[in-house]
Amino acid sequence: MAEEKTTVEVEETTAATQETKVEAPAQDPKEFLANFDWDKYEQGIERVDDTKLKEFEELVAENFVDTADAEVVQGTVVYLTEREAIIDINAKSEGVISLNEFRYNPDLKVGDKVEVLIDIREDKSGQLVLSHRKARTIMAWDRVNAAHDKEEIVSGFVKCRTKGGMIVDVFGIEAFLPGSQIDVKPIRDYDQYVNKTMEFKVVKINHEFKNVVVSHKALIEADIEEQKKEIIGQLEKGQVLEGVVKNITSYGVFIDLGGVDGLVHITDLSWSRINHPNEVVELDQKLNVVILDFDENKSRIQLGLKQLEKHPWDALSEDIKIGDKVKGKVVVIADYGAFIEVAEGVEGLIHVSEMSWSTHLRSAQDFVKVGDQVEAVVLTLDREDRKMSLGIKQLTPDPWTDITTKYPVGSKHKGIVRNFTNFGVFVELEEGIDGLIYISDLSWTKKIKHPSEFVTVGDTLEVEVLELDVDGRKLSLGHKQTTENPWDKYETEFALDTVHKGSIAEIVDKGATIDFNEDIVAFVPSRHLEKEDGKKLVKGEEAEFKIIEFNKEFKRVVASHTAIFREEEQRNVKAAVKKAAASADEAKPTLGDANEALQALKDKMEANDKKKK
């Protein structure tokens, strides 16, 4: 209408000008040129009156919008097709927007007001092209920035979950909601928030990458902080509060007391032993806890759960006394023993020494394992200190009660080697009956430096009871006594001066050794290695040897090769002496001859005396 009005006014003005030209009287050419309006001539119209021109400008400003780029204007939906929406923005023509830009608003109808941005002023067909999506984005960024600057609360729609958080639609902008910013407590199921509208606070905007981060946690932290101050100010030891299990660890449980977290240590969850807190509580469980302690700032609060119940020792039956039999479950095993739970929260210790009558101590794992149901005898009971000791071996008779009947001195038995030391071997005759074999009682013949040279743990040995100490619970055993002492036989076979054939086994310090058999190893001193030709015997050389010393007690045998031929020499010397003596006897003078000789000697001596006088 405005456009038609303007055209009519121009036409009327032109007609009026033409009429004026026709009616104008003849003028002087010079005067005409001097007064000629070239501007009117070039425009083809008469100059419009300034008043009318101002009225025209006001009319345009009132009826038409400024269609400058990047400016958002409001339009009205005037018509809807299957694919497009026709929008009137009070321009020379209506604009067109694809319905795809209104997918978020399926209820769009004629008459609705929408924000638009002029995308193309005039396309090929002269049509005005608008964009609702761009206008919505521009407006959204303005609103998001304003909300961030003013710390305002905004509403957003949780579209979906993504890695590390959620995607939230805020004013048409996809903002990121980190998982840590959803709530003050850890969230395990993000899907519960999808397709929900929630309130948020804009906490970060990256203008370069057009990223927006929002937080729901920030909205409730302020309220929680106030609640926390209020709760902390009222905390007292012994106070019972209701809380929610917030987190479970291997060492304890964190309880949310309404903005304040406290820890229930695993030892304060139950009077009974537990391996992990999840045996007692579960996440999000509501329960009552008691305040045990807290630091000066009340930032670390120690809570207890078991303290709300009566101590199991206080509920232990008064009928239980020392000597009674009790049943329980093995809950803990250590090297020194096993703990048995005889009632919920009441434990007794079975020391490893009370698991068997055997004096050969073993590990508790050799007798029981965790979870076993066992029967035991109460050995000690201290209700005040809440301690109890138990025993298993007391369920069977003490094997030492009839030890003199079963194992009298001199009796022979078989036992198992359980252990050995430098001085002997411990042999178990039966469960609870151990005896010691001294190293000197292992063999009649072998010189043993350490028992491991003779036996190994687990070997079965024949033994003889040598001594029995009932009061001291000690058995002295012997192994060699179960066989005949071969040295009794060797004492005759290798008697002094007996001769035996053998070869030099080893050359040792100050002599050599000869192996006459598996038991007899004789020593030959160096001077007794000399042969008849003056040389000495060497390793491996065979010869005859004479026994010159035999000691059964110390198992010592000394032999000599030199004595063999020197004895023969001595026999030859003795024979020669005897023969010489016999020859001398044959040549011996008679008694008369002797008297004559003596008389002659006497006369000679007397003659000499006279001469001297």
Side-chain angles (χ1 to χ4, degrees):
M1 295 292 296
E3 188 177 349
E4 292 177 358
K5 180 180 178 181
T6 304
T7 304
V8 171
E9 289 178 352
V10 172
E11 289 177 352
E12 290 177 353
T13 304
T14 304
T17 303
Q18 290 176 351
E19 291 176 0
T20 304
K21 289 180 180 179
V22 172
E23 295 175 357
Q27 295 181 2
D28 181 65
K30 291 182 179 180
E31 184 181 353
F32 175 78
L33 290 175
N35 297 325
F36 188 74
D37 190 341
W38 291 99
D39 183 58
K40 291 182 181 180
Y41 176 77
E42 291 176 356
Q43 294 292 332
I45 58 174
E46 289 288 338
R47 178 182 292 277
V48 180
D49 184 65
D50 290 341
T51 302
K52 291 184 177 181
L53 184 60
K54 186 175 181 181
E55 290 178 359
F56 176 73
E57 290 176 351
E58 291 176 353
L59 184 63
V60 170
E62 180 182 348
N63 290 278
F64 294 106
V65 299
D66 185 6
T67 58
D69 292 336
E71 184 177 348
V72 177
V73 298
Q74 191 175 67
T76 304
V77 179
V78 295
Y79 187 72
L80 291 172
T81 68
E82 292 182 357
R83 300 165 67 179
E84 296 172 330
I86 309 302
I87 310 297
D88 179 15
I89 61 170
N90 285 335
K92 289 188 293 183
S93 62
E94 286 83 7
V96 179
I97 299 177
S98 172
L99 287 180
N100 287 334
E101 297 190 22
F102 295 96
R103 282 183 297 181
Y104 75 95
N105 184 11
D107 298 327
L108 185 69
K109 60 185 182 297
V110 174
D112 286 352
K113 301 291 185 179
V114 294
E115 286 110 4
V116 296
L117 182 74
I118 298 174
D119 204 2
I120 302 176
R121 293 173 186 250
E122 195 173 299
D123 62 6
K124 294 180 181 179
S125 60
Q127 183 68 52
L128 177 66
V129 179
L130 306 175
S131 174
H132 175 63
R133 184 181 65 252
K134 292 181 180 179
R136 191 163 177 256
T137 301
I138 293 174
M139 294 295 292
W141 272 103
D142 291 342
R143 294 172 68 182
V144 165
N145 279 286
H148 178 261
D149 295 339
K150 298 178 182 179
E151 297 185 354
E152 294 178 347
I153 298 174
V154 299
S155 180
F157 178 75
V158 181
K159 297 176 65 176
C160 62
R161 63 173 296 178
T162 186
K163 184 177 180 181
M166 316 286 288
I167 299 299
V168 181
D169 186 327
V170 179
F171 305 139
I173 296 175
E174 289 190 347
F176 178 61
L177 171 63
S180 60
Q181 296 298 315
I182 298 177
D183 205 336
V184 291
K185 60 182 180 180
I187 301 300
R188 290 172 290 279
D189 181 18
Y190 287 6
D191 293 333
Q192 63 179 312
Y193 296 97
V194 176
N195 296 327
K196 286 187 177 181
T197 300
M198 301 170 60
E199 290 185 336
F200 302 97
K201 190 174 182 180
V202 181
V203 294
K204 186 177 181 181
I205 298 177
N206 188 319
H207 295 280
E208 182 180 356
F209 298 101
K210 299 294 183 182
N211 291 335
V212 178
V213 179
V214 296
S215 171
H216 179 68
K217 174 182 176 181
L219 298 179
I220 56 180
E221 278 183 334
D223 294 337
I224 290 177
E225 192 64 30
E226 291 298 323
Q227 295 177 13
K228 185 175 180 180
K229 290 180 181 178
E230 184 178 350
I231 293 173
I232 288 177
Q234 299 175 355
L235 290 182
E236 294 180 3
K237 292 182 182 180
Q239 185 179 9
V240 178
L241 299 174
E242 184 182 60
V244 179
V245 178
K246 181 178 181 180
N247 191 20
I248 299 176
T249 68
S250 60
Y251 56 86
V253 178
F254 287 94
I255 306 295
D256 183 359
L257 302 175
V260 180
D261 290 348
L263 173 65
V264 181
H265 195 268
I266 187 171
T267 57
D268 292 317
L269 283 172
S270 172
W271 291 114
S272 301
R273 289 180 184 263
I274 58 174
N275 296 317
H276 197 278
N278 56 23
E279 298 175 17
V280 180
V281 298
E282 58 185 19
L283 287 172
D284 300 326
Q285 179 183 350
K286 288 185 178 181
L287 43 78
N288 289 329
V289 290
V290 61
I291 297 177
L292 302 180
D293 201 0
F294 45 75
D295 60 9
E296 293 182 359
N297 298 325
K298 298 183 180 180
S299 57
R300 293 185 179 181
I301 305 172
Q302 182 182 343
L303 306 174
L305 181 62
K306 71 180 185 182
Q307 287 79 4
L308 295 175
E309 300 176 357
K310 187 177 181 181
H311 197 288
W313 271 90
D314 298 334
L316 187 65
S317 173
E318 293 291 337
D319 296 335
I320 297 179
K321 57 185 181 301
I322 294 175
D324 287 350
K325 294 180 181 180
V326 293
K327 291 183 178 180
K329 183 177 70 172
V330 179
V331 290
V332 174
I333 292 181
D335 289 337
Y336 55 85
F339 288 92
I340 312 299
E341 187 176 51
V342 297
E344 186 177 358
V346 178
E347 296 177 1
L349 171 65
I350 303 179
H351 193 270
V352 67
S353 62
E354 302 298 340
M355 292 183 174
S356 170
W357 289 110
S358 175
T359 56
H360 172 65
L361 295 183
R362 287 172 277 173
S363 175
Q365 287 90 338
D366 297 333
F367 299 95
V368 294
K369 61 180 182 294
V370 174
D372 283 353
Q373 293 288 338
V374 299
E375 186 178 29
V377 175
V378 178
L379 303 181
T380 64
L381 181 61
D382 189 341
R383 294 177 181 272
E384 196 171 314
D385 289 339
R386 294 171 178 171
K387 291 181 180 179
M388 179 189 302
S389 63
L390 307 172
I392 294 178
K393 70 181 184 181
Q394 288 77 10
L395 297 172
T396 58
D398 185 353
W400 280 84
T401 53
D402 57 349
I403 190 71
T404 54
T405 304
K406 295 172 67 175
Y407 301 102
V409 174
S411 60
K412 291 181 172 61
H413 309 275
K414 286 187 177 181
I416 299 175
V417 176
R418 290 301 185 189
N419 192 15
F420 47 71
T421 64
N422 291 332
F423 54 84
V425 178
F426 287 97
V427 176
E428 185 181 58
L429 300 180
E430 66 172 82
E431 184 75 19
I433 304 296
D434 288 353
L436 172 64
I437 304 175
Y438 283 100
I439 194 170
S440 59
D441 290 319
L442 286 173
S443 174
W444 290 112
T445 57
K446 292 183 179 178
K447 292 182 179 180
I448 302 170
K449 295 181 179 179
H450 192 275
S452 60
E453 300 172 8
F454 189 80
V455 294
T456 58
V457 174
D459 285 352
T460 300
L461 280 183
E462 288 191 6
V463 295
E464 181 179 320
V465 179
L466 303 181
E467 294 180 14
L468 176 59
D469 181 359
V470 178
D471 295 333
R473 289 179 176 257
K474 291 181 181 179
L475 270 178
S476 179
L477 307 175
H479 172 64
K480 71 181 183 180
Q481 288 80 1
T482 61
T483 60
E484 185 181 355
N485 187 354
W487 285 86
D488 293 338
K489 180 181 66 174
Y490 296 148
E491 190 175 16
T492 303
E493 184 180 346
F494 293 91
L496 288 175
D497 296 332
T498 56
V499 177
H500 304 272
K501 204 169 189 178
S503 58
I504 302 298
E506 293 290 341
I507 301 296
V508 296
D509 188 28
K510 297 182 181 180
T513 59
I514 305 168
D515 296 333
F516 285 126
N517 58 36
E518 61 179 7
D519 297 326
I520 301 296
V521 179
F523 175 69
V524 182
S526 294
R527 68 178 184 276
H528 291 275
L529 290 172
E530 188 177 340
K531 296 187 290 184
E532 195 171 358
D533 59 3
K535 295 181 179 179
K536 288 190 176 183
L537 293 170
V538 296
K539 184 177 180 179
E541 189 172 355
E542 190 176 37
E544 286 186 338
F545 297 89
K546 185 178 182 180
I547 303 301
I548 60 176
E549 183 184 345
F550 183 89
N551 189 315
K552 184 175 74 170
E553 184 180 356
F554 295 104
K555 301 178 180 61
R556 175 179 172 86
V557 179
V558 181
S560 172
H561 172 68
T562 305
I564 296 292
F565 63 83
R566 283 186 178 171
E567 182 180 355
E568 188 175 345
E569 288 179 356
Q570 290 175 359
R571 284 198 299 267
N572 292 335
V573 170
K574 286 181 180 179
V577 170
K578 188 176 182 180
K579 185 177 180 180
S583 298
D585 288 342
E586 291 177 2
K588 187 179 296 183
T590 64
L591 184 57
D593 294 337
N595 290 333
E596 289 179 359
L598 289 172
Q599 187 61 45
L601 180 60
K602 183 177 178 183
D603 292 342
K604 188 178 179 180
M605 290 176 65
E606 289 178 351
N608 289 333
D609 288 339
K610 288 179 179 181
K611 287 180 180 181
K612 289 180 180 178
K613 291 178 178 179

